[in-house]
Amino acid sequence: MRIVIVGGVAAGMSAAARARRLDESAEIIVLERGEHVSFATCGLPYYVGGEIDDASSLLVQTPESLRAALALDVRTRHEVTDIDPAARTVTVHSDRGVETIAYDALVLAPGAVAVRPPIPGLDSPRVHTLRTVADALALRAAVTSSAQLAGAESANHSTRRAVVLGAGFIGLEAAEALARRGVQVSLVELADHVLPPMDEEIAFWVTEELDRLGITVHTGVGAREIISDAAQDTVVLTDGTRVPADLVVLSVGARPDTAFVERAGIRCENGAIVTDEHGRTSVPGVWAAGDAVVSTDAVTGQRRPVALAGPANRAGRLVADDILRPGSARPLPRPLGTAIVRVGRLTAAMTGANRAALTAAGIPFHTIHLHPDQHAGYFPGASSIHLLVHMRDDGVLLGAQAVGADGVDKRIDVLATAIRAGMTAPDLIDLDLAYAPPYGQAKDPVNLAGMVAANVLDGTLRLWYAQDLPAVRETALLLDVRSRREYRAGHLPGSLNIPHTELRDRLDEVRQAAAGRPVRVLCASGVRSALAHRILAQAGFDSASLSGGLLTLRAVHRDGAGDAPEPSRPSAA
Ligand SMILES: Cc1cc2nc3c(=O)[nH]c(=O)nc-3n(C[C@H](O)[C@H](O)[C@H](O)COP(=O)(O)OP(=O)(O)OC[C@H]3O[C@@H](n4cnc5c(N)ncnc54)[C@H](O)[C@@H]3O)c2cc1C
């Protein structure tokens, strides 16, 4: 059997390697348009920033190593331009000319290319993308002095200012990489907050960290035009701001690289290849996997490509299974979109659906916010994890996001596993997670999320949300149950301060101040206000506790939070 694979990186090379492990007799040809195969796309930003020093370490395999280890016929600089499904052949352009290669099974793994919006001036030579090894080499060369490339590097004196268009995962990584090089970076994002796949109250902490890194963030605006002159470019934003730039990184998304697939009559949706649960396309003998394929979101059912390395690698492997072990191959799971990014000292990660996706899908949900320490508070190095969890009315987990200096990856991976397993939020209470003081808490943040969720679902805890603040101000008594000292340091105007430890003895004061209105309780992180809520609810008040406390409120309202206190570590909460 001859298996021809188009695209030799994540999905394509996984398919090739698995096919060889299953069948020693198969002829396996990998056709790759670029100069390299099996390269570490995800490592490119770290090479630009200098944390990965040697470009050769990005090349995980070479055609030679793949031939030696797996007897693969890997042909770089070979571009597939056409497919003839009836004849079962592909047309290939290379330095040697044009040739036709026949296949028994064809795997399409062409990935995606950078979206290039119609912005005047985008063809400036100072505009870069970051998708290939060549892109990373060019970007690194632009920010390091060529004389120093062989040894220690420093910022190239000709590159002092950069604009990164797009503050998604790759845009953030690019911005940080450039900032590490001493370049003054402006980050421009059309959405109203950085990291649009995450909710605003998680993205807030990332914005703060970008600020600390000296990266200027422009949100809610795009690039209207790029004006080039001999000395530098100027990026004109849609609000009229003009940002000078010695280089521009374009990172506003990717689109499936599938023109040759659509031409062959293989079914695509918005340019992405449609497959069944085994990666089979609409044409017999042709499979597809990776960034170029439409996925169905595991939580919302939304159909879209999911551009992540894990799903691409696993899909490639499963496609090879279906080609060589039809009937027994496991189906491709629907992706959860679990993703993670480091920004300075912080890690931000997510799994499952965000608020916007749930709303768009019409799925009713509850959200809980927590700010627990990542490990025992008494052990040195304790720091907060800002965690939010979305769940259905029946408790089924829908999504989770977290940001913090430590321990975020572990919690999101546990929650991703829980969502994949179809668990409910209260089921999280029962997870036996590893604990010793340097690593976690006897009640791990994930267990705590389960406990808060269970309280919300059974009515023990009633929440109000930072997003509701304007309406709450109009209709309810705001009761701040922090200490007097904390209250004096900053509070919401018009709120009444009764420390939670005094509340039982001062219920009459609350009753008088509320004058029949509901009582909306708040504290720093939501812990003390939950205690206060229980006291109030049992005393017959219409009460609710602010989800995530002032930490979350500040993240939602930023400067619009009146003189609400600056967030601080919630260990006192
Ligand atoms: C800078 C960057 C950082 C990233 N970081 C992360 C991360 O940290 N975590 C994560 O999960 N994901 C990350 N990703 C996403 C991840 O790299 C992709 O999801 C994954 O590589 C997709 O695999 P793929 O095989 O579908 O496509 P690709 O890896 O893009 O490979 C497709 C290959 O097909 C070739 N090709 C295309 N058309 C043809 C043709 N007609 N003929 C021959 N060859 C062709 C292309 O040249 C390309 O080499 C990152 C992506 C980028 C760009």
Side-chain angles (χ1 to χ4, degrees):
M1 170 188 259
R2 178 187 281 174
I3 303 172
V4 171
I5 296 172
V6 185
V9 189
M13 207 45 85
S14 291
R18 175 70 170 171
R20 170 58 71 229
R21 288 193 292 272
L22 295 183
D23 188 347
E24 267 298 311
S25 68
E27 184 187 0
I28 303 170
I29 302 173
V30 179
L31 301 168
E32 166 55 51
R33 181 177 57 197
E35 211 170 315
H36 307 286
V37 283
S38 207
F39 63 86
T41 315
C42 309
L44 299 179
Y46 305 95
Y47 173 71
V48 173
E51 287 176 271
I52 297 173
D53 201 38
D54 181 2
S56 67
S57 58
L58 296 169
L59 306 178
V60 183
Q61 298 283 353
T62 62
E64 296 70 35
S65 69
L66 289 162
R67 177 175 291 284
L70 292 163
L72 300 179
D73 178 354
V74 178
R75 305 180 192 176
T76 54
R77 297 173 189 258
H78 280 61
E79 177 169 10
V80 174
T81 52
D82 282 296
I83 305 165
D84 184 339
R88 295 206 173 204
T89 60
V90 292
T91 306
V92 186
H93 287 243
S94 70
D95 294 346
R96 295 194 317 223
V98 182
E99 62 187 312
T100 301
I101 299 177
Y103 62 82
D104 299 303
L106 177 66
V107 178
L108 302 174
V113 287
V115 167
R116 295 186 73 86
I119 301 169
L122 202 63
D123 53 357
S124 159
R126 295 193 182 95
V127 176
H128 294 248
T129 53
L130 181 53
R131 296 208 60 87
T132 63
V133 174
D135 290 344
L137 289 170
L139 206 45
R140 177 150 155 166
V143 292
T144 54
S145 107
S146 52
Q148 293 171 312
L149 266 176
E153 296 166 339
S154 65
N156 181 347
H157 290 300
S158 64
T159 301
R160 293 182 187 282
R161 304 194 55 149
V163 172
V164 176
L165 298 175
F169 289 91
I170 298 169
L172 286 182
E173 289 176 342
E176 183 177 348
L178 295 172
R180 285 179 77 93
R181 292 294 190 180
V183 177
Q184 207 181 322
V185 181
S186 297
L187 183 60
V188 178
E189 170 56 54
L190 198 57
D192 63 2
H193 60 75
V194 300
L195 268 185
M198 297 201 190
D199 292 327
E200 58 183 341
E201 55 268 51
I202 296 295
F204 165 82
W205 301 98
V206 174
T207 305
E208 296 246 300
E209 184 64 4
L210 290 167
D211 195 38
R212 194 189 67 78
L213 293 172
I215 295 170
T216 307
V217 176
H218 302 262
T219 50
V221 286
R224 183 197 294 157
E225 185 182 4
I226 297 172
I227 301 167
S228 295
D229 68 30
Q232 61 180 183
D233 286 1
T234 301
V235 181
V236 184
L237 306 185
T238 46
D239 64 359
T241 307
R242 300 167 76 88
V243 191
D246 303 308
L247 79 87
V248 177
V249 179
L250 179 68
S251 185
V252 297
R255 62 168 176 77
D257 195 1
T258 50
F260 71 106
V261 180
E262 289 193 285
R263 263 201 311 276
I266 294 171
R267 204 175 139 223
C268 291
E269 233 174 69
N270 299 321
I273 306 167
V274 175
T275 62
D276 69 7
E277 72 276 16
H278 289 289
R280 302 175 198 134
T281 70
S282 59
V283 165
V286 183
W287 284 255
D291 284 7
V293 169
V294 184
S295 292
T296 303
D297 186 275
V299 173
T300 62
Q302 189 196 357
R303 289 174 62 74
R304 62 185 166 92
V306 170
L308 288 167
N313 274 279
R314 295 192 297 272
R317 184 178 190 274
L318 290 174
V319 157
D321 283 359
D322 193 58
I323 295 169
L324 292 161
R325 291 180 174 169
S328 67
R330 295 174 58 247
L332 277 74
R334 294 177 165 197
L336 286 172
T338 307
I340 189 163
V341 65
R342 187 198 65 191
V343 182
R345 294 194 294 224
L346 294 185
T347 301
M350 66 179 295
T351 184
N354 63 17
R355 187 179 285 121
L358 291 169
T359 305
I363 300 172
F365 61 98
H366 300 273
T367 305
I368 57 169
H369 302 86
L370 296 86
H371 309 276
D373 284 348
Q374 96 285 24
H375 64 50
Y378 58 79
F379 190 82
S383 62
S384 300
I385 293 180
H386 308 288
L387 173 65
L388 76 74
V389 176
H390 298 304
M391 60 184 166
R392 240 168 37 190
D393 284 341
D394 59 2
V396 168
L397 288 161
L398 298 170
Q401 299 165 35
V403 60
D406 186 28
V408 165
D409 51 347
K410 161 168 146 174
R411 274 53 186 229
I412 289 299
D413 279 348
V414 169
L415 287 160
T417 307
I419 296 177
R420 173 65 80 216
M423 288 169 62
T424 66
D427 290 336
L428 300 174
I429 300 172
D430 304 327
L431 294 182
D432 281 330
L433 301 174
Y435 164 64
Y439 299 105
Q441 304 221 40
K443 283 180 192 153
D444 189 86
V446 172
N447 300 133
L448 280 175
M451 291 170 198
V452 174
N455 284 338
V456 169
L457 293 170
D458 70 12
T460 306
L461 177 60
R462 190 169 159 215
L463 295 175
W464 69 280
Y465 291 97
Q467 285 83 355
D468 302 332
L469 179 64
V472 166
R473 272 191 163 131
E474 297 292 315
T475 56
L477 169 69
L478 283 167
L479 178 63
D480 188 330
V481 295
R482 294 173 302 149
S483 68
R484 284 184 191 79
R485 184 180 52 78
E486 289 170 280
Y487 185 79
R488 271 197 304 274
H491 56 263
L492 291 178
S495 57
L496 172 69
N497 177 223
I498 299 180
H500 77 294
T501 47
E502 299 174 15
L503 189 58
R504 287 186 185 85
D505 299 327
R506 297 176 61 184
L507 288 175
D508 284 346
E509 267 176 71
V510 179
R511 197 163 282 117
Q512 210 173 352
R517 292 174 297 163
V519 182
R520 295 295 174 254
V521 196
L522 58 122
C523 67
S525 71
V527 175
R528 286 171 292 179
S529 60
L531 294 176
H533 162 73
R534 290 302 304 150
I535 294 170
L536 291 167
Q538 290 175 74
F541 286 88
D542 171 353
S543 116
S545 164
L546 175 60
S547 185
L550 287 165
L551 282 162
T552 299
L553 185 125
R554 167 62 80 178
V556 170
H557 291 283
R558 289 165 239 177
D559 298 337
D563 58 353
E566 285 296 321
S568 58
R569 278 200 57 237
S571 48

